[in-house]
Amino acid sequence: MQHERIHWVDTLKGIGIILVILGHTPALNIKGYIFSFHMPLFFFISGYLFQTNKYPTFINFLNKKGKSLLIPYLAFSVISILANSVLSQAHIDIKPSLKAFFISTRNQIPFNEALWFLTCIFIVEVMFYLISRVCKYDWLKLVFAIVIYLVGFKLFNNKEPQLPWNIDSAMTYLLYFALGYVFKKWNITNLQFFKYASWFCLMITFVQIVRPDVFYIIINKLHISQNINIIFTTMISITAFITIAKSMSGSRHLKYLGQNSLSFFALHLAVGFPIILNIFAILNVNVGANATNIMGLIFVALTILLLIPVVKVLNTYFPIVLGNVEWKKKFKS
């Protein structure tokens, strides 16, 4: 059971990273749908994989998470700054870049906007770990996450991200992390009810992609509050893609993307996109807002193919970039 669960989670992460790259691609007309749930999906997956008992003390927890999240944040920031200078021939202003690095506010990191996720998930995991140390029952952890979500929604909804390390965003994403956690703890994805609900979610997702106007007419007729609406529609999409991931859990290509999702996530904007854009510019190929969806999909496929050897080099020779600091011990032995 556990082995199968790991397979579909890797596949789901692989699908998720494709959605992230699709969402950032210059040409694609379903970005609105992708942006409605693709980041909550990654927080949900992180919560699903989270195990409080792996960290006996808070210091131990901070040490492990610092290695797995903050070292990659530093390393990929350096790589991104160098890539900007070489590939995009961008002038790097050191002072603003350092400020953006230390504050790490969502969508305000000029050398690589995607890196905000690493500091945000760090804050989310710290918050959930502290909640878990206080609350014995899983349902109570979820209640705490809901309360924090509602407070964050009230304070920061419809406002530009503004707090350091995305504390404002973390307050809302914490809920999806907690939902992922209880999905695992309560074995929800293997319940018969979930199987029936997932087919309903697949149909709703299909309507949302093909006829978003009809979907939102239906949602508006339900007369539910905005925050509940956001959670409801996001979880419909997450449930639908869990079902898709389970049905495609044998795909080695998706599992490879999922197992290396950190590298693809951190490098697609800073390394992949500039190279592909330069090649397309030489070939006089349009990938702007007026380009076709097919061209957008080709752009994504080429970006992934381009990054595969880069990911292999990182895995083989520079695992410390990915937060794997144990490689030194293996090398010495």
Side-chain angles (χ1 to χ4, degrees):
M1 181 82 66
Q2 183 68 17
H3 185 65
E4 176 191 358
R5 196 171 292 158
I6 292 173
H7 276 309
W8 73 256
V9 170
D10 281 338
T11 303
L12 184 60
K13 288 166 67 179
I15 293 171
I17 201 62
I18 292 174
L19 290 170
V20 168
I21 299 174
L22 280 170
H24 291 150
T25 300
L28 212 64
N29 64 10
I30 59 168
K31 287 186 180 183
Y33 170 70
I34 292 173
F35 280 118
S36 71
F37 80 98
H38 74 313
M39 292 317 301
L41 173 64
F42 274 99
F43 286 96
F44 179 93
I45 294 171
S46 298
Y48 191 91
L49 298 174
F50 188 79
Q51 298 179 39
T52 310
N53 56 11
K54 284 176 59 177
Y55 315 103
T57 67
F58 185 54
I59 297 300
N60 177 260
F61 169 81
L62 289 178
N63 181 45
K64 293 286 181 68
K65 290 303 171 182
K67 290 176 182 176
S68 64
L69 293 173
L70 300 186
I71 287 178
Y73 177 67
L74 171 61
F76 282 118
S77 292
V78 173
I79 291 171
S80 299
I81 290 172
L82 294 175
N84 271 259
S85 300
V86 175
L87 300 176
S88 302
Q89 296 183 340
H91 171 70
I92 302 298
D93 198 328
I94 298 299
K95 188 174 180 181
S97 294
L98 283 174
K99 181 180 178 182
F101 170 80
F102 285 111
I103 296 178
S104 186
T105 304
R106 182 180 179 183
N107 301 331
Q108 295 180 33
I109 304 176
F111 47 83
N112 191 339
E113 289 187 352
L115 294 182
W116 70 271
F117 173 77
L118 295 177
T119 50
C120 189
I121 189 63
F122 177 80
I123 295 298
V124 167
E125 295 207 10
V126 167
M127 292 168 69
F128 193 79
Y129 179 83
L130 294 175
I131 290 171
S132 297
R133 294 300 297 266
V134 173
C135 301
K136 177 181 178 181
Y137 302 106
D138 294 330
W139 66 267
L140 193 54
K141 297 171 188 176
L142 181 58
V143 169
F144 260 88
I146 291 171
V147 171
I148 293 172
Y149 168 87
L150 292 174
V151 171
F153 190 88
K154 180 71 173 177
L155 293 177
F156 304 112
N157 184 42
N158 296 324
K159 294 181 181 178
E160 286 295 316
Q162 53 189 300
L163 295 184
W165 284 39
N166 306 286
I167 294 172
D168 42 357
S169 297
M171 292 178 72
T172 53
Y173 285 125
L174 176 67
L175 174 59
Y176 300 105
F177 188 94
L179 285 168
Y181 180 84
V182 298
F183 262 61
K184 174 75 173 291
K185 283 289 188 175
W186 297 343
N187 201 27
I188 289 175
T189 58
N190 290 316
L191 297 178
Q192 192 66 31
F193 168 79
F194 180 85
K195 295 176 182 178
Y196 293 127
S198 63
W199 285 106
F200 169 77
C201 291
L202 278 170
M203 290 188 290
I204 296 295
T205 297
F206 178 78
V207 174
Q208 192 174 1
I209 295 172
V210 177
R211 289 297 305 273
D213 54 332
V214 174
F215 174 79
Y216 287 109
I217 287 173
I218 295 171
I219 291 296
N220 290 334
K221 285 185 178 295
L222 296 177
H223 299 295
I224 54 180
S225 63
Q226 184 185 7
N227 51 359
I228 300 300
N229 184 0
I230 291 171
I231 298 168
F232 177 67
T233 55
T234 300
M235 288 308 299
I236 284 177
S237 294
I238 289 175
T239 301
F241 277 93
I242 288 174
T243 306
I244 294 171
K246 284 191 164 224
S247 68
M248 301 178 70
S249 61
S251 170
R252 62 188 181 89
H253 301 299
L254 287 175
K255 282 189 285 187
Y256 175 80
L257 288 175
Q259 290 160 2
N260 295 281
S261 57
L262 173 59
S263 296
F264 284 101
F265 185 89
L267 294 174
H268 73 279
L269 284 177
V271 176
F273 279 21
I275 294 176
I276 301 299
L277 285 171
N278 286 333
I279 293 172
F280 278 20
I282 293 171
L283 298 175
N284 198 27
V285 176
N286 176 31
V287 286
N290 296 323
T292 64
N293 283 334
I294 296 298
M295 187 54 65
L297 293 173
I298 292 172
F299 187 91
V300 170
L302 290 175
T303 299
I304 291 172
L305 290 172
L306 175 73
L307 289 177
I308 287 174
V310 180
V311 171
K312 185 163 186 173
V313 168
L314 289 180
N315 288 340
T316 305
Y317 300 106
F318 305 100
I320 194 171
V321 169
L322 307 173
N324 182 6
V325 295
E326 302 300 323
W327 69 284
K328 290 184 178 179
K329 296 179 183 178
K330 294 178 183 178
F331 183 78
K332 288 179 181 179
S333 61

